Amino acid sequence: MFALIDGNSFYCSCKRAFDPKLRNKPVVVLSNNDGCAIARTHEAKDLGIKMGEPYHLARGRPGLEHVIWKSSNYALYGDMSRRMYEVLTTMAPHVEPYSIDEMFLDFRGLNDAPRRAADMLAAVLKIAKIPTCVGIGPTKTIAKLANAVAKKDRAGSGISDLRDPDQRACAYRELAVGSVWGIGPASAQKLNKIGIQTIADFVALPDDEVRKMLSVVGLRTCWELRGISCMPLALAPSTRKSLAVTRSFGKSIDTWPEMERAFSAYAMRATEKLRRHGLVAAAMQVFLQTNRFSKSDRQYVNQTSFAIEPSSDSFTLIGNVTRAARHIWRDGYRYAKAGIILLDLSAAHELPPNFFPSRDPQKSAALMRAMDALNQRYGRNTLRPGTVAAHPRWGMRRANLSPSYTTRADQLLQVRA
DNA sequence: TCTGGGGTCCTAGGACCC
DNA sequence: TCTGGGGTCCTAGGACCC
């Protein structure tokens, strides 16, 4: 048995925790560069402000004069999330953080689950100052669904229990299949097309049909909805597989020196993140793109992915990043977004000591010369211009983790030795 | 003028090998 | 009418989540 506890309008609630004047008012928290709405209190939702809505379009709309727009502060949210976690670990045997504002709880063997949930909800509100909702169910997917049910009932206790099969069946007849965790817009549309509208319709489908339409992922979701648990509680956090630093520019960039500065900054941020997590990267993806929303701008997107020496040395990384970016840079475009993604991560302690970062500029320069030589020698294999690039509509996609990156990294090391 | 920034997993099909 | 068959690796693409 699982419970899912989830902060209500989490980022907004974090702001409210420190600013009581924001209570009972429509508050919206904006993304980076104040680009679009990423969290809304229910007062703001009632005014018709949508998730992801661009700020510059919503701002002037009639009826929104009293909305309080706030820039985001991710350090604060991370801190509030930790507080929430700490409160919960004192009250449940296992807590699995799922996202910044959601945690799965182990509720096995509890005979007073709703009361325990109420205690936790109260404790999180009192100590961490975050209002939450709790969903309870025999599987993670059902707990998640119950949480959504609790959220919808604003006058309710904030707790919803879907353990009882009859109650569940009743709820399934009311709820759209697209409201299930794991059934996104594309899957929902596919299902609608063959007449599946509600969750009740979905769980009645034969396995092979589900599998054919939605792959094993959809089948797992279907089983979970039938009450068969397929997703255990993760007792230890899994190791991270990639790490990204990407930004949209406040103002388009159309000269290489500006872009080079941007990429240098990204590379620095990336090394900070690596160090903080005690990781090194053996491969990297670098991308840039024009403003995909612009009707008048000529569009260009490109990416390159390649192996790097598994080192978190800032100089080396900056050298690699800017060199790769120069590869895909084309004059004559107005760039709106760029970024780097580090792949093939491993714990730093697993590597021999001489891989470790060095702040010695001479050593770094030597490494960069070595990289240059390798790029010349292995050209296509080591530093490959992206073959696909990106869908102009969706922007850049992340490269898959590929063993070949590691192979190329080995090549690099052999040549150095 | 201004449209986020992170993450994960699955699969079809081609290249290549024996 | 038939054109070998089975296996692995990798890429590109699709989909989902917060």
Side-chain angles (χ1 to χ4, degrees):
Chain A
M1 185 177 23
F2 299 89
L4 178 75
I5 185 163
D6 173 321
N8 302 341
S9 313
F10 186 67
Y11 294 173
C12 296
S13 296
C14 292
K15 298 276 184 199
R16 276 178 172 168
F18 292 95
D19 188 354
K21 288 198 296 288
L22 298 178
R23 275 180 212 158
N24 303 316
K25 296 201 176 130
V27 180
V28 177
V29 171
L30 300 165
S31 64
N32 265 43
N33 296 335
D34 292 346
C36 52
I38 52 172
R40 310 147 295 151
T41 61
H42 68 78
E43 295 87 352
K45 288 177 195 170
D46 288 348
L47 292 171
I49 299 167
K50 299 273 182 299
M51 184 68 178
E53 195 171 344
Y55 175 44
H56 74 272
L57 296 179
R59 183 165 45 182
R61 209 158 62 216
L64 303 187
E65 295 82 6
H66 301 296
V67 173
I68 301 163
W69 308 91
K70 291 278 183 186
S71 297
S72 46
N73 176 354
Y74 296 99
L76 170 70
Y77 311 143
D79 190 56
M80 297 298 276
S81 179
R82 264 188 301 279
R83 288 195 205 185
M84 195 170 139
Y85 177 76
E86 276 157 22
V87 173
L88 293 171
T89 46
T90 64
M91 306 178 80
H94 289 118
V95 182
E96 180 201 329
Y98 170 65
S99 73
I100 194 156
D101 71 326
E102 287 169 274
M103 285 148 214
F104 281 107
L105 307 165
D106 185 358
F107 263 35
R108 274 174 302 187
L110 253 60
N111 47 21
D112 54 350
R115 196 183 60 76
R116 293 288 287 274
D119 289 348
M120 293 181 182
L121 190 147
V124 170
L125 184 62
K126 181 157 179 272
I127 301 165
K129 310 281 183 233
I130 296 290
T132 54
C133 284
V134 186
I136 305 167
T139 67
K140 279 185 167 178
T141 304
I142 295 171
K144 190 95 164 94
L145 193 71
N147 183 283
V149 170
K151 277 243 151 70
K152 240 193 284 180
D153 180 15
R154 271 186 216 162
S157 62
I159 294 162
S160 163
D161 182 358
L162 284 182
R163 281 175 303 167
D164 178 65
D166 293 334
Q167 270 188 25
R168 211 153 62 219
C170 185
Y172 283 4
R173 284 193 291 273
E174 302 296 318
L175 293 167
V177 68
S179 63
V180 172
W181 182 44
I183 307 289
S187 303
Q189 205 182 8
K190 258 193 221 172
L191 291 166
N192 291 164
K193 221 172 258 173
I194 61 158
I196 306 299
Q197 301 291 340
T198 66
I199 304 179
D201 298 337
F202 181 55
V203 294
L205 275 177
D207 281 356
D208 54 349
E209 200 159 339
V210 177
R211 162 86 227 238
K212 209 165 60 202
M213 287 180 75
L214 307 181
S215 91
V216 294
V217 185
L219 187 57
R220 193 166 56 206
T221 298
C222 192
W223 282 26
E224 282 248 322
L225 287 168
R226 292 176 192 153
I228 303 159
S229 181
C230 310
M231 303 156 86
L233 204 70
L235 297 182
S238 57
T239 54
R240 184 194 274 263
K241 303 209 159 95
S242 70
L243 182 158
V245 181
T246 71
R247 288 288 178 281
S248 295
F249 305 128
K251 190 170 155 283
S252 303
I253 281 181
D254 54 9
T255 67
W256 168 247
E258 284 178 291
M259 185 62 94
E260 191 175 23
R261 273 200 295 281
F263 271 112
S264 301
Y266 296 162
M268 285 302 292
R269 282 282 300 137
T271 56
E272 285 165 21
K273 282 192 181 181
L274 281 177
R275 288 211 183 89
R276 185 155 18 100
H277 293 103
L279 296 167
V280 289
M284 181 157 65
Q285 181 184 11
V286 172
F287 73 87
L288 42 74
Q289 67 187 66
T290 50
N291 180 0
R292 65 194 171 98
F293 298 103
S294 171
K295 298 258 195 294
S296 53
D297 283 6
R298 278 195 309 144
Q299 295 291 317
Y300 172 69
V301 288
N302 207 351
Q303 65 97 22
T304 175
S305 17
F306 54 99
I308 55 173
E309 180 149 9
S311 153
S312 46
D313 177 280
S314 314
F315 296 102
T316 314
L317 207 69
I318 292 172
N320 288 336
V321 167
T322 52
R323 201 170 10 250
R326 191 67 190 83
H327 238 76
I328 52 174
W329 165 274
R330 301 285 179 275
D331 287 327
Y333 293 99
R334 306 177 63 230
Y335 294 91
K337 184 176 180 176
I340 61 181
I341 299 165
L342 302 175
L343 302 157
D344 207 358
L345 306 179
S346 56
H349 61 76
E350 285 171 9
L351 288 150
N354 61 346
F355 284 12
F356 273 116
S358 153
R359 285 208 168 264
D360 175 358
Q362 280 195 340
K363 195 175 169 195
S364 297
L367 278 171
M368 281 161 81
R369 278 198 302 277
M371 270 300 295
D372 276 335
L374 288 162
N375 283 335
Q376 281 190 357
R377 180 160 168 187
Y378 287 105
R380 262 176 357 145
N381 285 336
T382 315
L383 194 65
R384 298 162 306 146
T387 44
V388 184
H391 198 293
R393 195 160 138 225
W394 308 116
M396 187 50 51
R397 56 172 290 105
R398 210 171 274 248
N400 282 348
L401 183 64
S402 157
S404 68
Y405 295 138
T406 321
T407 313
R408 284 192 289 273
D410 289 344
Q411 279 181 350
L412 292 177
L413 297 173
Q414 274 171 22
V415 174
R416 267 198 77 210

